[in-house]
Amino acid sequence: MQRGTNLGRLGGYNQAVILDAIRRAHEGVARVELVELTGLSPQTISNVVRRLVDEGLVREDRKTVSGPGKPRTLLALEVSSRFAIGIHLDPALVTLVLLNLDGEVVASARYEMPAVGEPDQTVRAMAGHVRELIRSADVAREKILGIGVAAPGPIDVPRGIVVGPPMLHGWESVSLREPLRELTGLPVLLDKDVTAAAVAELWASERAEPENFAFIYLGTGLGAGVVLQGEVLRGATGNIGEIGHFPAQVDVPECFCGRRNCVGMALAFRTLIQQGMDAGLLPPGQDLDKLSLTNEAAYQLCRMARQGQPEALAIFRNAARHLGTAVAHVANLLDVDRIVFGGPWWEGLADFALPMLRQEVQEQFVARAIHEVEVTGSGLGTEVGAIGGACLVLDQTFSPKASGLLLGNPA
Ligand SMILES: [Zn+2]
């Protein structure tokens, strides 16, 4: 059975289609153009637009065009009429962002995670951070649509529970959605960070054709978010994309899943740091159990590679070969047009790793005679998890999807 959501859609499928067309027309769009873009009747357009203007979501700009004829009225999204909050939960950091309707970050904040093993305290702290974010941005509370939480997997989406991510010690079956909703009074959505990142990429896309891509998320772990035919795929319980456990021809430390050949471990900080010590690039005695994104030794190694240090580059080239093969499997399984790399760890790697990965993926993509697979880095930066959280809310509220018919009023 299809499940409903406590996050209200703003008025029906046709309204979502029209709002989406207005959002994508950055220079403004006339009613007559909307008829053409959406295939809806002028009467429907007129009714829906009136409602969107009344609700403050859309504004009318009278523009004089050169030459004869009366000025045209262009419709534009009122980007500051509503906002969404995104929270990214990382083993080391909690990142919050406030997005406007155009997907722009208007406020953000980062906090260290409270003491390990204190989920209750973390959820209370998150609620406090949300209040502080709203206050600092000076946004009226009624303009906040809701909160989207991007968490490391595994998660239980139907129950809103973080099940016990390997790097969040003490987080075994922690209910997140309900307590956060109670503490903030706002609707709360929960999704895996990799899926949230894919939603963010989809929301930022300017393409007219339905998207087919995999978002390869590099954070403290490795995972993939999947979009096919413009729809975000989640799997039965929201745990799609655990590619970090693909087997690789590699000698790596034991993964938390118990096996010794997981590709995710080929680019885990502890593996890279050990290799850095073995090559004499890092002083011996590094703390290999420090997994978090604040791991200075991992970033130090990364900087050396960026500066062209040959041994450091060799370490990352080796990791990129294994990652590239795993990602090529993803591309071959899903027949995507695009592979997008991103996530908090990606920023440091992009310069030198993207060409390596592009070569690996494209060489192993079986359908390359029929179409190219484009291999790119995300433009959304290190906060893509939190931005993705907020985009879950925007997507749920505004995207024209068939499921919206179940939730809203017909236009
Ligand atoms: Zn594993």
Side-chain angles (χ1 to χ4, degrees):
M1 194 191 129
Q2 287 272 14
R3 296 180 62 85
T5 169
N6 56 1
L7 191 67
R9 284 181 62 86
L10 297 177
Y13 185 69
N14 286 346
Q15 175 164 314
V17 169
I18 292 168
L19 196 58
D20 196 54
I22 295 172
R23 179 175 78 84
R24 287 169 182 281
H26 298 291
E27 304 297 311
V29 61
R31 283 176 177 75
V32 61
E33 291 164 327
L34 283 177
V35 172
E36 206 171 301
L37 285 166
T38 63
L40 293 167
S41 72
Q43 187 57 50
T44 302
I45 299 277
S46 178
N47 291 343
V48 170
V49 164
R50 192 179 315 124
R51 197 160 64 219
L52 290 171
V53 171
D54 287 348
E55 286 173 0
L57 286 160
V58 165
R59 68 168 191 277
E60 295 177 291
D61 290 336
R62 287 180 74 75
K63 286 246 170 86
T64 311
V65 288
S66 56
K70 63 172 186 173
R72 293 201 309 159
T73 301
L74 295 182
L75 302 163
L77 190 67
E78 194 61 84
V79 296
S80 298
S81 61
R82 304 286 192 284
F83 297 86
I85 291 172
I87 302 177
H88 182 218
L89 209 54
D90 172 86
L93 294 169
V94 183
T95 307
L96 289 90
V97 296
L98 184 73
L99 294 196
N100 68 16
L101 284 191
D102 212 22
E104 281 172 337
V105 177
V106 293
S108 67
R110 299 183 110 188
Y111 301 90
E112 284 190 13
M113 281 285 263
V116 162
E118 295 290 346
D120 286 354
Q121 197 187 326
T122 305
V123 176
R124 274 198 304 279
M126 278 162 71
H129 299 333
V130 166
R131 283 190 289 272
E132 183 53 37
L133 187 75
I134 296 172
R135 203 168 28 236
S136 73
D138 198 19
V139 164
R141 218 191 111 85
E142 56 271 20
K143 289 186 172 182
I144 310 281
L145 293 163
I147 301 169
V149 181
I155 60 171
D156 184 336
V157 167
R159 294 197 296 151
I161 286 174
V162 173
V163 174
M167 292 155 204
L168 282 175
H169 302 296
W171 283 66
E172 282 88 31
S173 281
V174 174
S175 179
L176 203 59
R177 195 169 54 208
E178 272 309 299
L180 197 57
R181 187 186 65 75
E182 279 168 25
L183 288 166
T184 62
L186 290 164
V188 178
L189 298 171
L190 171 69
D191 223 326
K192 219 166 73 160
D193 46 13
V194 299
T195 299
V199 173
E201 192 69 28
L202 186 61
W203 192 257
S205 167
E206 299 280 337
R207 297 182 184 214
E209 296 300 307
E211 286 271 16
N212 294 284
F213 68 84
F215 192 106
I216 309 300
Y217 186 92
L218 287 88
T220 39
L222 168 67
V226 180
V227 173
L228 287 183
Q229 299 297 328
E231 292 277 342
V232 181
L233 302 193
R234 291 185 164 82
T237 59
N239 287 296
I240 197 169
E242 291 291 343
I243 65 168
H245 306 279
F246 278 13
Q249 303 290 335
V250 63
D251 180 26
V252 287
E254 186 175 306
C255 178
F256 65 85
C257 76
R259 289 183 298 120
R260 294 192 62 95
N261 63 344
C262 290
V263 68
M265 289 305 291
L267 45 151
F269 292 151
R270 61 181 309 153
T271 310
L272 298 172
I273 292 167
Q274 182 64 57
Q275 290 168 350
M277 286 192 289
D278 292 347
L281 297 168
L282 295 171
Q286 300 287 333
D287 178 5
L288 294 179
D289 290 323
K290 194 178 172 194
L291 295 165
S292 76
L293 289 167
T294 54
N295 195 318
E296 185 45 41
Y299 281 92
Q300 200 182 333
L301 204 58
C302 196
R303 278 195 297 275
M304 289 179 197
R306 218 162 41 228
Q307 288 158 7
Q309 212 288 342
E311 284 95 346
L313 271 173
I315 289 173
F316 284 101
R317 189 170 293 115
N318 182 49
R321 212 176 60 242
H322 295 299
L323 175 60
T325 298
V327 172
H329 292 327
V330 173
N332 285 330
L333 177 70
L334 301 173
D335 190 22
V336 288
D337 300 317
R338 279 206 296 156
I339 294 289
V340 184
F341 287 94
W345 178 219
W346 174 249
E347 291 281 282
L349 304 173
D351 284 353
F352 58 90
L354 185 60
M356 301 174 186
L357 290 163
R358 183 175 286 144
Q359 187 184 353
E360 290 293 337
V361 174
Q362 289 177 342
E363 276 179 10
Q364 298 178 63
F365 184 57
V366 174
R368 63 183 176 275
I370 296 132
H371 71 102
E372 294 266 305
V373 59
E374 186 189 337
V375 179
T376 62
S378 170
L380 293 168
T382 52
E383 288 177 339
V384 64
I387 293 171
C391 285
L392 294 172
V393 175
L394 296 180
D395 189 61
Q396 185 79 53
T397 313
F398 294 113
S399 273
K401 284 178 293 210
S403 56
L405 289 169
L406 298 170
L407 306 169
N409 305 313

